Amino acid sequence: MLLPSFLRLSLILLSSRVWAYPAGNEERDLVPTRTTEAVARAAPPNCFPALGFTMPSSVPSSLTNWWCDRATEYAFVGFSYEVTDCQSLSQLRTDFKNIRNTFKGRYIRMYGFCDNDGFYNNVVQAAWEAGIGVHALIWFGFDGTDEWIGRRDALFGILHSNPKAKFVTRVLQFGSEPLYDNVLSASSLAAQVTAAKANLSSLQIPVTISEMAYGYQERSSSQKVMDAIDLIDAHMLPFFSTEASTVANNSWPIVLTDLDWFVDNGEGKKIYLSENGWPSVTSSGVQPNSPSAVANVQNEHVVLIPTVVNAL
């Protein structure tokens, strides 16, 4: 089945320490470890956005026991959702409920931008009605312009003024791939993360950046960013690796290399794989770094991120 365009980038949540099955088509039984069973028992029994959670009829007075413990969330939980079309509230409602009810998603991760006044209010309302959480995004773009400053300030304003916003906004991201695109120096980006954390501390909304392992690796001061972020939103895009092969389902070693880097350098922080997959088409400005990497529907279809479970 061909998925709607907004569903083509999957969002997968992992713990900061994981184990995974090797690539392959064979099915395996998943046996919870004692520690994962203990964590699951410790989670609030009726937490957002767990499957089966019933949204309250009114906004709660407190975030206490509202969010599910991140340690209990792993494997597939939702989709990246591009907002460049500035979807109407009606369309957001339809799409978010489809993600929740048809695909059993718990989150959407925003991608792109919509500069319409108050757009994030509609995202919040649609997410509240659908019962899904949001990975919000301050979009830098690719041109080195400063529109992101206005987007940041507008989003901060809505997060503080909309009473439902802190109950559906799981994390705020700076992105996409600001280190790789060098939109700010690593020191300046870390300062923005720190300032955002202070701004949103009363709302208990964590802050991160949305980035590839390579983005961290190529910037000499990126450790400042890693130190500043609350959790890791990692991009896994094996198509762009110099090691990519013609057969896309041979990509697991590339994914594992980047995942291992985040585990080794992520300071024990929760890891979210927030942008994944293999393209079916590309453009003159977006080309692979390996002559063997081929963008087509077949390769898009066969790229499988093996099942990853929480081993904590």
Side-chain angles (χ1 to χ4, degrees):
M1 178 179 67
L2 291 178
L3 298 179
S5 59
F6 69 83
L7 299 181
R8 289 180 184 166
L9 293 176
S10 62
L11 172 66
I12 298 176
L13 268 66
L14 311 177
S15 68
S16 57
R17 293 168 58 194
V18 300
W19 61 269
Y21 293 133
N25 295 324
E26 65 273 21
E27 294 183 0
R28 309 283 185 105
D29 292 331
L30 301 184
V31 181
T33 65
R34 294 179 182 176
T35 49
T36 54
E37 290 174 335
V39 169
R41 287 196 300 269
N46 191 29
C47 56
F48 180 82
L51 298 179
F53 177 78
T54 300
M55 295 297 289
S57 58
S58 60
V59 178
S61 60
S62 169
L63 284 165
T64 301
N65 281 349
W66 172 257
W67 290 103
C68 295
D69 188 332
R70 285 196 294 262
T72 68
E73 296 178 333
Y74 50 87
F76 167 79
V77 296
F79 296 96
S80 281
Y81 183 89
E82 184 165 359
V83 297
T84 311
D85 287 341
C86 293
Q87 293 90 325
S88 66
L89 176 57
S90 175
Q91 188 63 54
L92 291 170
R93 284 169 167 153
T94 297
D95 291 343
F96 289 6
K97 288 178 180 178
N98 189 30
I99 290 170
R100 180 69 168 183
N101 299 326
T102 303
F103 296 95
K104 307 304 180 186
R106 286 171 277 171
Y107 292 99
I108 64 103
R109 175 255 181 173
M110 293 176 65
Y111 181 85
F113 68 95
C114 174
D115 289 336
N116 287 356
D117 186 39
F119 176 74
Y120 194 69
N121 280 317
N122 288 345
V123 173
V124 168
Q125 184 61 32
W128 176 271
E129 293 176 13
I132 62 174
V134 178
H135 286 222
L137 178 68
I138 298 171
W139 180 259
F140 282 105
F142 309 111
D143 301 321
T145 56
D146 62 1
E147 284 92 345
W148 66 271
I149 297 174
R151 293 169 187 152
R152 177 200 62 194
D153 295 345
L155 182 55
F156 284 177
I158 291 174
L159 290 173
H160 282 282
S161 64
N162 188 321
K164 295 176 181 175
K166 66 181 180 181
F167 291 96
V168 298
T169 306
R170 185 57 147 168
V171 63
L172 172 68
Q173 309 168 85
F174 286 92
S176 179
E177 298 170 359
L179 286 172
Y180 176 74
D181 291 330
N182 201 26
V183 296
L184 294 174
S185 70
S187 295
S188 295
L189 183 59
Q192 285 295 323
V193 171
T194 301
K197 289 167 61 174
N199 185 291
L200 302 176
S201 61
S202 64
L203 305 177
Q204 301 178 44
I205 296 174
V207 180
T208 188
I209 70 168
S210 191
E211 185 60 76
M212 301 180 292
Y214 183 74
Y216 285 95
Q217 293 162 2
E218 72 168 349
R219 302 300 173 201
S220 59
S221 299
S222 64
Q223 185 62 45
K224 295 179 181 179
V225 178
M226 184 64 78
D227 292 342
I229 59 176
D230 291 308
L231 49 88
I232 296 169
D233 265 2
H235 292 188
M236 294 292 169
L237 302 171
F239 175 78
F240 297 105
S241 170
T242 57
E243 304 297 322
S245 68
T246 304
V247 183
N249 61 356
N250 291 335
S251 297
W252 177 242
I254 300 171
V255 173
L256 189 59
T257 295
D258 281 356
L259 181 57
D260 285 345
W261 186 90
F262 279 114
V263 171
D264 292 341
N265 296 278
E267 304 175 2
K269 297 175 181 180
K270 181 77 174 185
I271 300 172
Y272 295 70
L273 302 192
S274 58
E275 188 172 320
N276 314 286
W278 189 281
S280 58
V281 296
T282 187
S283 63
S284 59
V286 180
Q287 292 293 317
N289 294 303
S290 166
S292 299
V294 177
N296 59 34
V297 173
Q298 179 182 1
N299 276 338
E300 181 183 40
H301 177 73
V302 301
V303 168
L304 300 176
I305 304 297
T307 303
V308 184
V309 297
N310 191 333
L312 295 178

